[in-house]
Amino acid sequence: MGSPLSAARIVKFSLILATVERTREVARFLASLEGQTYPHFEVVVVDQNDDDRVDRLIASHEMHYAIRRLRASRGLSRARNQGIAVATGDVLAFPDDDCWYPPELLVRVVGHLESGTWQGVAGRAVDSVHRPSGGMRWDQTSGLLAPGNVWRRATSYTIFLQRVVVERVGGFDESLGIGSGTRWGSGEETDYLLRAMAAGFRIFYDPALYVYHEQPVRNSAALGFSYGMGMGRVLRKHHYPPWFVFQQVSRAVIGAVAAAAAGRRDDARFRWAVARGRVLGWLR
C-alpha cells in the first residue's frame, strides 16, 4: 500500500488547478495560498484559455511559492491528467478554479496523513459564511469513504491523495466531467475515488476539514441534465444496485417538487433535469 508519510520529513503538495474562462476567482485562489501556514507546495496551473489572462496572475505570485503553467485543450479530466503527469508532490489535490483555501488546510491534511492509517483525506465545501456548499448534503460524521457514502463525503476540490494512490489508480476517466465532449458532465472524481477504494486504499472523511466554494448557480436545466448523466454513468460503471439508483433519482425528484412548491422555478427545472439525467445515464 506504500510507505506512510513521515513526520520526520517534509511532505510536499502538488495542487493541480485546471482553469478556463475565469480570472477573478483564480486570483482569489492563488492569493489564499499566500496565507497557508504550511508552505511546502507547488501549484500546477493547467490553462485551457484561449488568451494569456493567467500569465499576469502567475507573475504576481511566483515570488511567493512554486507555480508553473501548462497549456491544455478543453476538458477538466484531460487537464487534471496533464497536471498529474508533471506533479512532483507527495500529496496531490485538485482545486477548482473558483474555490479557495483556509489558512490551516494543508497543515491539517498533513496531520491526518502522517499517522499512516489513511492514503487520502477528504473534507467538505462551505461558502464564505460557512454554510454547506457544493450542491451536496454533507455528512456530519467522520469516517472512511465507502461506495454508499462517497456521494456525501467528497468532491474533487476537497480530496487529497498520496502519490501512491495516483500511481496505482492512474488518471481520471476523460469521458467524464465538464468539457469531456460527452453527455457525462460530472462524476469524474467519484469514479476516481471508487477506483481507489477498489484498489484497497483507505480515504478518511473529516467534516471539520473544509474548502471554501461559493454556492453553485443552479439555473440551467441543460447543466443539471449533464450532471445527472455523469452520476448515472458512474452508477452504471461501478455496478450500483437498482435500489440505490432509485434512491438517488427519487431524491432529485423530491427536491424538484419542493422547489416548485416554493416557487423556485429555475431550481425545480434544474433538479428535474438532474433526475432525468441520472436515469438516462444509468440506462446508457
Side-chain angles (χ1 to χ4, degrees), residues 12-15 33 36 38-43 65-66 106:
K12 178 183 176 181
F13 286 82
S14 290
L15 311 178
L33 297 180
Q36 282 300 304
Y38 189 86
H40 306 296
F41 61 86
E42 66 176 1
V43 183
Y65 49 77
L106 298 184

Side-chain angles (χ1 to χ4, degrees), residues 95-192:
D96 271 5
D97 60 358
D98 58 346
C99 78
W100 68 103
Y101 284 178
E104 303 289 334
L105 178 64
L106 298 184
V107 73
R108 295 184 69 183
V109 172
V110 170
H112 277 301
L113 293 176
E114 280 179 342
S115 69
T117 307
W118 331 112
Q119 292 78 49
V121 178
R124 62 192 178 98
V126 301
D127 66 15
S128 58
V129 293
H130 285 254
R131 295 173 300 184
S133 184
M136 297 171 60
R137 293 184 178 183
W138 293 99
D139 267 0
Q140 298 303 306
T141 57
S142 61
L144 285 174
L145 265 61
N149 65 34
V150 65
W151 311 93
R152 307 186 305 276
R153 291 187 168 187
T155 192
S156 59
Y157 52 89
T158 69
I159 60 175
F160 300 83
L161 302 174
Q162 288 191 33
R163 173 168 289 280
V164 64
V165 178
V166 177
E167 289 176 347
R168 177 84 62 83
V169 175
F172 287 85
D173 182 341
E174 295 186 2
S175 72
L176 298 171
I178 295 174
S180 63
T182 72
R183 303 181 75 183
W184 305 316
S186 71
E188 73 286 348
E189 74 271 45
T190 308
D191 169 71
Y192 200 91

